[in-house]
Amino acid sequence: MRHRKKLNHLGRTSSHRKAMLSNMACSLIEHKRINTTVAKAKALRQYVEPLVTKSKSDTTHNRRLVFSKLKDKYMVAELFREVAPKVGERPGGYTRIIKLGNRLGDAAEMAMIELVDFNEVYTPGKKQAKKKSTRRAGKKAKEEDQVETTDNSDSKTDEA
């Protein structure tokens, strides 16, 4: 039975695992996506998501809690400054794991883990809304320009 065996040890000692997950979390925050094995990606997801949740409320206490896990003040600053505003309204699920196939050397299952809100490929709805708004604004702008040009031509003749 697997009772109370939530943590994947990844074949490492406790200190090695904590250091590795901290480094991978810093890389994920910096680059917004990284390639790794599926097992490490799943372990990283459990490690990073609570940190992102803490970053949604910018308090000194939360910054210290996140710093105790990440050990890099520049990544803590980036997490609170850039990542947190984008995920502010999201109730969870800040990362996405995409399987990539097997690695050539040892046939390990590889995956890409990324922050969801920083991928523009998977957000097509937002792009379509922008197109609609620009079309409408373009028509209004053209009509306003025509009105302004007629007003300007009248005022130039009045001044002359």
Side-chain angles (χ1 to χ4, degrees), residues 23-154:
N23 287 331
M24 288 175 67
C26 289
S27 296
L28 180 64
I29 292 167
E30 182 181 2
H31 301 293
K32 310 302 185 254
R33 72 176 59 164
I34 56 173
N35 291 335
T36 183
T37 62
V38 172
K40 287 181 191 174
K42 288 180 179 179
L44 181 62
R45 177 173 52 193
Q46 288 181 340
Y47 189 85
V48 167
E49 297 225 358
L51 300 180
V52 177
T53 302
K54 285 182 181 70
S55 73
K56 287 165 71 171
S57 63
D58 191 3
T59 62
T60 305
H61 182 62
N62 283 343
R63 281 184 177 262
R64 287 177 177 165
L65 287 173
V66 171
F67 180 76
S68 71
K69 296 285 187 180
L70 291 183
K71 309 281 193 293
D72 187 352
K73 65 181 181 181
Y74 299 110
M75 291 305 113
V76 172
E78 185 166 344
L79 178 65
F80 278 86
R81 199 175 300 129
E82 293 181 18
V83 177
K86 276 203 166 185
V87 300
E89 66 278 352
R90 183 178 287 273
Y94 311 111
T95 57
R96 176 186 294 129
I97 296 175
I98 300 170
K99 293 185 180 180
L100 300 176
N102 295 338
R103 187 163 49 194
L104 286 177
D106 58 354
E109 266 192 290
M110 297 299 290
M112 177 177 65
I113 182 168
E114 64 183 4
L115 294 172
V116 172
D117 292 318
F118 288 90
N119 188 345
E120 290 80 23
V121 175
Y122 286 114
T123 55
K126 293 180 181 178
K127 290 181 182 178
Q128 290 175 356
K130 287 181 182 177
K131 287 182 183 177
K132 289 181 182 177
S133 64
T134 55
R135 284 186 197 149
R136 289 180 193 149
K139 288 179 183 178
K140 289 179 184 176
K142 288 178 184 177
E143 291 172 4
E144 291 173 3
D145 289 340
Q146 290 174 355
V147 171
E148 289 178 11
T149 54
T150 56
D151 292 339
N152 291 341
S153 62
D154 293 339

Side-chain angles (χ1 to χ4, degrees), residues 6-25:
K6 184 177 179 182
L7 182 68
N8 186 354
H9 296 291
L10 300 172
R12 288 163 172 79
T13 61
S14 175
S15 59
H16 185 184
R17 184 174 54 253
K18 287 176 186 174
M20 181 189 67
L21 288 173
S22 175
N23 287 331
M24 288 175 67

